């Protein structure tokens, strides 16, 4: 069973949070100093809060973005670039979240281009993947998700741990349903093989996170499942108490 020394616990605030929510960042950052040897911690607030969050985050908490454009800059109204994220001190970006793949018609090729642009700016992309309930029920989950990752990741990695993945079954996101630990382990082992087939030994150094209704009550079991190197957390990352409850499961 592959176990990384430190797990990556990442929060995705989605389109939630006004300036008052920065209190939660402050509360999280204060407490995380107790866990510095156990994990790497990240919150991806909406783009409007990245600068404010960064100012409060200190050294124990990283701040990242929920998306970036595949081009370095240009006439792309409303988008933000990886360079802008880096300029604010962001060191991570989520790419290919299912809400962007579905709502913004992002293809594997687009997600790959975003991941490559992020790397050029020194930002670590967290490349998301996940199947629908219909695909799982039809027995297509492993084939679909591993192909997503084969096609959505950069062609090569120039250093260990340069990217992370997040396996997020779409039917488990925001629904309160989580995949069983057996299903998570089966998928993460298949994703590890996909990474090693594509990147060689370096594929072992990529963190594979699980996401989908992770909360303090289920974090311990999920975080100690085979090849689970951390969690991508939506709803439960919005409040310091629940995010820290997940961190405590480390
Ligand atoms: C997510 O969308 O990345 C996610 C995992 O959401 P939730 O934890 O709310 O299911």
């Amino acid at each position: 069973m592959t176990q990384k020394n430190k797990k990556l616990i990442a929060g995705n605030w989605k389109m939630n949070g006004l300036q008052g929510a920065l209190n939660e960042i402050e509360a999280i950052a204060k407490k995380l100093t107790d866990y510095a040897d156990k994990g790497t911690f990240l919150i991806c607030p909406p783009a409007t809060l990245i600068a404010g969050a960064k100012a409060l985050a200190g050294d124990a908490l990283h701040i990242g973005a929920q998306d970036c454009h595949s081009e370095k800059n240009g006439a792309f109204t409303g988008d933000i670039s990886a360079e802008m994220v880096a300029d604010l001190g962001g060191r991570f970006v989520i790419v290919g979240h299912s809400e962007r793949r579905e709502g913004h018609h992002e293809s594997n090729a687009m997600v790959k281009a975003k991941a490559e642009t992020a790397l050029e700016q020194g930002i670590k992309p967290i490349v998301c993947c996940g199947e629908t309930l219909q695909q799982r029920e039809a027995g297509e989950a492993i084939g679909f998700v591993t192909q997503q990752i084969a096609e959505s990741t950069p062609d090569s990695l120039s250093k260990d741990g340069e990217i992370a993945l997040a396996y997020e079954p779409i039917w488990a996101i925001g629904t309160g349903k989580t995949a069983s630990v057996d299903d998570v382990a089966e998928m993460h082992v298949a994703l590890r093989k996909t990474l090693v087939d594509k990147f060689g030994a370096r594929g072992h150094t990529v963190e594979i996170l699980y996401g989908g209704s992770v909360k303090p009550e289920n974090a311990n079991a999920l975080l100690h499942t085979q090849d689970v190197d951390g969690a991508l957390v939506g709803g439960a990352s919005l409040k310091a108490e629940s995010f820290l409850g997940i961190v405590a499961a480390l």
Side-chain angles (χ1 to χ4, degrees):
M1 165 158 162
T2 314
Q3 283 289 358
K4 305 264 183 302
N5 291 339
K6 282 186 167 192
K7 308 244 180 201
L8 171 58
I9 310 292
N12 171 14
W13 279 13
K14 311 192 183 190
M15 198 172 72
N16 296 295
L18 304 179
Q19 293 200 60
L22 292 173
N23 293 341
E24 304 295 332
I25 298 283
E26 202 172 8
I28 291 170
K30 259 190 202 153
K31 193 75 188 140
L32 280 181
T33 46
D34 300 351
Y35 296 96
D37 56 332
K38 295 225 163 90
T40 303
F41 307 104
L42 165 70
I43 295 285
C44 298
T48 49
L49 294 182
I50 292 176
K54 185 67 196 158
L56 294 169
D59 293 334
L61 177 64
H62 292 277
I63 300 298
Q66 299 170 18
D67 183 45
C68 66
H69 201 277
S70 55
E71 294 293 329
K72 194 175 169 204
N73 52 33
F76 303 103
T77 303
D79 284 308
I80 64 165
S81 70
E83 191 178 26
M84 292 168 183
V85 177
D87 186 43
L88 294 178
R91 289 291 169 265
F92 291 80
V93 63
I94 298 168
V95 293
H97 191 281
S98 60
E99 286 155 14
R100 297 216 49 101
R101 289 180 183 269
E102 284 185 351
H104 297 262
H105 312 292
E106 293 189 2
S107 64
N108 291 340
M110 286 167 73
V111 175
K112 174 182 177 181
K114 289 176 180 216
E116 285 174 341
T117 303
L119 288 179
E120 280 164 24
Q121 298 303 322
I123 295 187
K124 179 164 174 165
I126 300 176
V127 183
C128 299
C129 57
E131 81 284 358
T132 62
L133 188 56
Q134 290 87 325
Q135 287 168 325
R136 174 147 294 271
E137 287 174 351
E140 294 164 0
I142 300 259
F144 177 78
V145 171
T146 53
Q147 187 177 350
Q148 261 188 328
I149 283 308
E151 295 178 1
S152 302
T153 48
D155 288 328
S156 62
L157 300 180
S158 62
K159 58 178 191 208
D160 288 351
E162 200 173 31
I163 64 169
L165 306 188
Y167 166 55
E168 301 201 302
I170 294 171
W171 49 270
I173 294 178
T175 58
K177 293 181 192 161
T178 44
S180 71
V181 288
D182 289 348
D183 287 344
V184 173
E186 185 186 29
M187 184 62 80
H188 281 229
V189 168
L191 285 169
R192 181 69 64 204
K193 181 175 184 313
T194 304
L195 290 168
V196 172
D197 287 349
K198 184 164 175 175
F199 302 118
R202 196 153 267 161
H204 286 292
T205 68
V206 173
E207 294 128 319
I208 309 178
L209 315 185
Y210 169 77
S213 299
V214 178
K215 41 190 184 251
E217 300 75 43
N218 59 23
N220 188 36
L222 288 163
L223 287 172
H224 295 98
T225 296
Q226 183 172 12
D227 267 305
V228 173
D229 304 312
L232 181 54
V233 185
S237 71
L238 291 169
K239 292 283 170 211
E241 192 185 354
S242 43
F243 186 75
L244 292 168
I246 292 166
V247 169
L250 292 175

